[in-house]
PDB file of all heavy atoms in Angstrom:
ATOM      1  N   TYR A1492    -101.544 -18.391 -48.666  1.00  0.00           N
ATOM      2  CA  TYR A1492    -101.733 -19.627 -47.899  1.00  0.00           C
ATOM      3  C   TYR A1492    -100.728 -19.735 -46.771  1.00  0.00           C
ATOM      4  O   TYR A1492     -99.644 -19.152 -46.812  1.00  0.00           O
ATOM      5  CB  TYR A1492    -101.581 -20.845 -48.818  1.00  0.00           C
ATOM      6  CG  TYR A1492    -102.770 -21.087 -49.721  1.00  0.00           C
ATOM      7  CD1 TYR A1492    -102.912 -20.402 -50.923  1.00  0.00           C
ATOM      8  CD2 TYR A1492    -103.748 -22.008 -49.372  1.00  0.00           C
ATOM      9  CE1 TYR A1492    -104.002 -20.625 -51.753  1.00  0.00           C
ATOM     10  CE2 TYR A1492    -104.838 -22.247 -50.196  1.00  0.00           C
ATOM     11  CZ  TYR A1492    -104.960 -21.552 -51.377  1.00  0.00           C
ATOM     12  OH  TYR A1492    -106.030 -21.775 -52.192  1.00  0.00           O
ATOM     13  N   ARG A1493    -101.113 -20.502 -45.781  1.00  0.00           N
ATOM     14  CA  ARG A1493    -100.189 -20.906 -44.726  1.00  0.00           C
ATOM     15  C   ARG A1493    -100.057 -22.422 -44.822  1.00  0.00           C
ATOM     16  O   ARG A1493    -101.062 -23.141 -44.776  1.00  0.00           O
ATOM     17  CB  ARG A1493    -100.719 -20.511 -43.345  1.00  0.00           C
ATOM     18  CG  ARG A1493     -99.790 -20.900 -42.189  1.00  0.00           C
ATOM     19  CD  ARG A1493    -100.398 -20.554 -40.837  1.00  0.00           C
ATOM     20  NE  ARG A1493    -100.518 -19.110 -40.667  1.00  0.00           N
ATOM     21  CZ  ARG A1493    -101.675 -18.446 -40.627  1.00  0.00           C
ATOM     22  NH1 ARG A1493    -102.817 -19.107 -40.769  1.00  0.00           N
ATOM     23  NH2 ARG A1493    -101.699 -17.140 -40.457  1.00  0.00           N
ATOM     24  N   CYS A1494     -98.848 -22.900 -44.987  1.00  0.00           N
ATOM     25  CA  CYS A1494     -98.621 -24.334 -45.167  1.00  0.00           C
ATOM     26  C   CYS A1494     -97.853 -24.923 -43.980  1.00  0.00           C
ATOM     27  O   CYS A1494     -96.932 -24.301 -43.461  1.00  0.00           O
ATOM     28  CB  CYS A1494     -97.840 -24.598 -46.458  1.00  0.00           C
ATOM     29  SG  CYS A1494     -98.730 -24.052 -47.948  1.00  0.00           S
ATOM     30  N   VAL A1495     -98.256 -26.117 -43.578  1.00  0.00           N
ATOM     31  CA  VAL A1495     -97.588 -26.835 -42.485  1.00  0.00           C
ATOM     32  C   VAL A1495     -97.137 -28.186 -43.012  1.00  0.00           C
ATOM     33  O   VAL A1495     -97.946 -28.946 -43.558  1.00  0.00           O
ATOM     34  CB  VAL A1495     -98.536 -27.021 -41.284  1.00  0.00           C
ATOM     35  CG1 VAL A1495     -97.843 -27.828 -40.189  1.00  0.00           C
ATOM     36  CG2 VAL A1495     -99.010 -25.671 -40.751  1.00  0.00           C
ATOM     37  N   GLU A1496     -95.846 -28.463 -42.866  1.00  0.00           N
ATOM     38  CA  GLU A1496     -95.293 -29.740 -43.323  1.00  0.00           C
ATOM     39  C   GLU A1496     -94.989 -30.629 -42.130  1.00  0.00           C
ATOM     40  O   GLU A1496     -94.454 -30.179 -41.123  1.00  0.00           O
ATOM     41  CB  GLU A1496     -94.017 -29.507 -44.137  1.00  0.00           C
ATOM     42  CG  GLU A1496     -94.263 -28.797 -45.459  1.00  0.00           C
ATOM     43  CD  GLU A1496     -92.999 -28.638 -46.271  1.00  0.00           C
ATOM     44  OE1 GLU A1496     -91.932 -29.028 -45.775  1.00  0.00           O
ATOM     45  OE2 GLU A1496     -93.086 -28.117 -47.390  1.00  0.00           O
ATOM     46  N   ARG A1497     -95.338 -31.922 -42.252  1.00  0.00           N
ATOM     47  CA  ARG A1497     -95.044 -32.891 -41.201  1.00  0.00           C
ATOM     48  C   ARG A1497     -94.325 -34.081 -41.822  1.00  0.00           C
ATOM     49  O   ARG A1497     -94.749 -34.605 -42.845  1.00  0.00           O
ATOM     50  CB  ARG A1497     -96.329 -33.346 -40.511  1.00  0.00           C
ATOM     51  CG  ARG A1497     -97.000 -32.231 -39.725  1.00  0.00           C
ATOM     52  CD  ARG A1497     -98.248 -32.693 -39.049  1.00  0.00           C
ATOM     53  NE  ARG A1497     -98.895 -31.616 -38.310  1.00  0.00           N
ATOM     54  CZ  ARG A1497    -100.072 -31.720 -37.711  1.00  0.00           C
ATOM     55  NH1 ARG A1497    -100.739 -32.847 -37.775  1.00  0.00           N
ATOM     56  NH2 ARG A1497    -100.572 -30.691 -37.055  1.00  0.00           N
ATOM     57  N   PHE A1498     -93.232 -34.485 -41.172  1.00  0.00           N
ATOM     58  CA  PHE A1498     -92.434 -35.593 -41.682  1.00  0.00           C
ATOM     59  C   PHE A1498     -92.513 -36.786 -40.736  1.00  0.00           C
ATOM     60  O   PHE A1498     -92.463 -36.628 -39.517  1.00  0.00           O
ATOM     61  CB  PHE A1498     -90.977 -35.153 -41.858  1.00  0.00           C
ATOM     62  CG  PHE A1498     -90.805 -34.070 -42.888  1.00  0.00           C
ATOM     63  CD1 PHE A1498     -90.743 -32.735 -42.510  1.00  0.00           C
ATOM     64  CD2 PHE A1498     -90.739 -34.386 -44.237  1.00  0.00           C
ATOM     65  CE1 PHE A1498     -90.603 -31.734 -43.459  1.00  0.00           C
ATOM     66  CE2 PHE A1498     -90.604 -33.394 -45.194  1.00  0.00           C
ATOM     67  CZ  PHE A1498     -90.534 -32.072 -44.800  1.00  0.00           C
ATOM     68  N   ASN A1499     -92.648 -37.954 -41.327  1.00  0.00           N
ATOM     69  CA  ASN A1499     -92.712 -39.196 -40.556  1.00  0.00           C
ATOM     70  C   ASN A1499     -91.320 -39.797 -40.407  1.00  0.00           C
ATOM     71  O   ASN A1499     -90.373 -39.393 -41.083  1.00  0.00           O
ATOM     72  CB  ASN A1499     -93.659 -40.191 -41.242  1.00  0.00           C
ATOM     73  CG  ASN A1499     -95.046 -39.603 -41.433  1.00  0.00           C
ATOM     74  OD1 ASN A1499     -95.569 -38.933 -40.542  1.00  0.00           O
ATOM     75  ND2 ASN A1499     -95.632 -39.847 -42.601  1.00  0.00           N
ATOM     76  N   THR A1500     -91.228 -40.789 -39.551  1.00  0.00           N
ATOM     77  CA  THR A1500     -89.921 -41.428 -39.306  1.00  0.00           C
ATOM     78  C   THR A1500     -89.401 -42.163 -40.529  1.00  0.00           C
ATOM     79  O   THR A1500     -88.192 -42.336 -40.688  1.00  0.00           O
ATOM     80  CB  THR A1500     -90.032 -42.422 -38.127  1.00  0.00           C
ATOM     81  OG1 THR A1500     -91.131 -43.332 -38.386  1.00  0.00           O
ATOM     82  CG2 THR A1500     -90.294 -41.678 -36.825  1.00  0.00           C
ATOM     83  N   ASP A1501     -90.310 -42.613 -41.399  1.00  0.00           N
ATOM     84  CA  ASP A1501     -89.868 -43.338 -42.601  1.00  0.00           C
ATOM     85  C   ASP A1501     -89.430 -42.403 -43.726  1.00  0.00           C
ATOM     86  O   ASP A1501     -89.111 -42.848 -44.827  1.00  0.00           O
ATOM     87  CB  ASP A1501     -90.982 -44.273 -43.089  1.00  0.00           C
ATOM     88  CG  ASP A1501     -92.242 -43.501 -43.488  1.00  0.00           C
ATOM     89  OD1 ASP A1501     -92.274 -42.271 -43.303  1.00  0.00           O
ATOM     90  OD2 ASP A1501     -93.183 -44.145 -43.984  1.00  0.00           O
ATOM     91  N   GLY A1502     -89.444 -41.092 -43.462  1.00  0.00           N
ATOM     92  CA  GLY A1502     -89.006 -40.136 -44.474  1.00  0.00           C
ATOM     93  C   GLY A1502     -90.127 -39.521 -45.279  1.00  0.00           C
ATOM     94  O   GLY A1502     -89.937 -38.511 -45.957  1.00  0.00           O
ATOM     95  N   SER A1503     -91.308 -40.148 -45.231  1.00  0.00           N
ATOM     96  CA  SER A1503     -92.454 -39.582 -45.952  1.00  0.00           C
ATOM     97  C   SER A1503     -92.984 -38.373 -45.189  1.00  0.00           C
ATOM     98  O   SER A1503     -92.667 -38.171 -44.012  1.00  0.00           O
ATOM     99  CB  SER A1503     -93.564 -40.639 -46.109  1.00  0.00           C
ATOM    100  OG  SER A1503     -94.040 -41.018 -44.833  1.00  0.00           O
ATOM    101  N   GLY A1504     -93.790 -37.614 -45.865  1.00  0.00           N
ATOM    102  CA  GLY A1504     -94.321 -36.424 -45.213  1.00  0.00           C
ATOM    103  C   GLY A1504     -95.627 -35.961 -45.832  1.00  0.00           C
ATOM    104  O   GLY A1504     -96.016 -36.420 -46.913  1.00  0.00           O
ATOM    105  N   THR A1505     -96.279 -35.076 -45.138  1.00  0.00           N
ATOM    106  CA  THR A1505     -97.522 -34.490 -45.623  1.00  0.00           C
ATOM    107  C   THR A1505     -97.417 -32.973 -45.541  1.00  0.00           C
ATOM    108  O   THR A1505     -96.680 -32.428 -44.709  1.00  0.00           O
ATOM    109  CB  THR A1505     -98.735 -34.944 -44.781  1.00  0.00           C
ATOM    110  OG1 THR A1505     -98.505 -34.594 -43.413  1.00  0.00           O
ATOM    111  CG2 THR A1505     -98.954 -36.438 -44.918  1.00  0.00           C
ATOM    112  N   ARG A1506     -98.155 -32.320 -46.404  1.00  0.00           N
ATOM    113  CA  ARG A1506     -98.148 -30.859 -46.432  1.00  0.00           C
ATOM    114  C   ARG A1506     -99.576 -30.373 -46.526  1.00  0.00           C
ATOM    115  O   ARG A1506    -100.293 -30.700 -47.478  1.00  0.00           O
ATOM    116  CB  ARG A1506     -97.337 -30.378 -47.636  1.00  0.00           C
ATOM    117  CG  ARG A1506     -97.083 -28.888 -47.632  1.00  0.00           C
ATOM    118  CD  ARG A1506     -96.247 -28.519 -48.840  1.00  0.00           C
ATOM    119  NE  ARG A1506     -95.757 -27.166 -48.769  1.00  0.00           N
ATOM    120  CZ  ARG A1506     -95.712 -26.330 -49.796  1.00  0.00           C
ATOM    121  NH1 ARG A1506     -96.135 -26.714 -50.978  1.00  0.00           N
ATOM    122  NH2 ARG A1506     -95.233 -25.117 -49.653  1.00  0.00           N
ATOM    123  N   ARG A1507     -99.992 -29.601 -45.548  1.00  0.00           N
ATOM    124  CA  ARG A1507    -101.347 -29.069 -45.550  1.00  0.00           C
ATOM    125  C   ARG A1507    -101.291 -27.553 -45.625  1.00  0.00           C
ATOM    126  O   ARG A1507    -100.556 -26.920 -44.882  1.00  0.00           O
ATOM    127  CB  ARG A1507    -102.095 -29.491 -44.282  1.00  0.00           C
ATOM    128  CG  ARG A1507    -102.434 -30.966 -44.264  1.00  0.00           C
ATOM    129  CD  ARG A1507    -103.328 -31.301 -43.094  1.00  0.00           C
ATOM    130  NE  ARG A1507    -103.719 -32.691 -43.109  1.00  0.00           N
ATOM    131  CZ  ARG A1507    -104.510 -33.259 -42.199  1.00  0.00           C
ATOM    132  NH1 ARG A1507    -104.980 -32.524 -41.202  1.00  0.00           N
ATOM    133  NH2 ARG A1507    -104.827 -34.532 -42.275  1.00  0.00           N
ATOM    134  N   CYS A1508    -102.100 -27.014 -46.539  1.00  0.00           N
ATOM    135  CA  CYS A1508    -102.131 -25.565 -46.731  1.00  0.00           C
ATOM    136  C   CYS A1508    -103.562 -25.063 -46.592  1.00  0.00           C
ATOM    137  O   CYS A1508    -104.496 -25.700 -47.061  1.00  0.00           O
ATOM    138  CB  CYS A1508    -101.581 -25.194 -48.103  1.00  0.00           C
ATOM    139  SG  CYS A1508     -99.840 -25.637 -48.348  1.00  0.00           S
ATOM    140  N   SER A1509    -103.693 -23.939 -45.946  1.00  0.00           N
ATOM    141  CA  SER A1509    -105.009 -23.313 -45.796  1.00  0.00           C
ATOM    142  C   SER A1509    -104.880 -21.821 -46.087  1.00  0.00           C
ATOM    143  O   SER A1509    -103.855 -21.204 -45.776  1.00  0.00           O
ATOM    144  CB  SER A1509    -105.548 -23.537 -44.380  1.00  0.00           C
ATOM    145  OG  SER A1509    -104.625 -23.061 -43.427  1.00  0.00           O
ATOM    146  N   PRO A1510    -105.907 -21.217 -46.692  1.00  0.00           N
ATOM    147  CA  PRO A1510    -105.830 -19.788 -47.024  1.00  0.00           C
ATOM    148  C   PRO A1510    -105.770 -18.921 -45.767  1.00  0.00           C
ATOM    149  O   PRO A1510    -106.356 -19.266 -44.741  1.00  0.00           O
ATOM    150  CB  PRO A1510    -107.111 -19.537 -47.817  1.00  0.00           C
ATOM    151  CG  PRO A1510    -108.026 -20.649 -47.452  1.00  0.00           C
ATOM    152  CD  PRO A1510    -107.176 -21.819 -47.114  1.00  0.00           C
TER     153      PRO A1510
END
Side-chain angles (χ1 to χ4, degrees):
Y1492 285 83
R1493 180 183 294 111
C1494 298
V1495 177
E1496 293 183 357
R1497 293 180 181 174
F1498 296 96
N1499 303 319
T1500 53
D1501 62 355
S1503 63
T1505 57
R1506 189 179 191 221
R1507 289 188 177 180
C1508 297
S1509 56

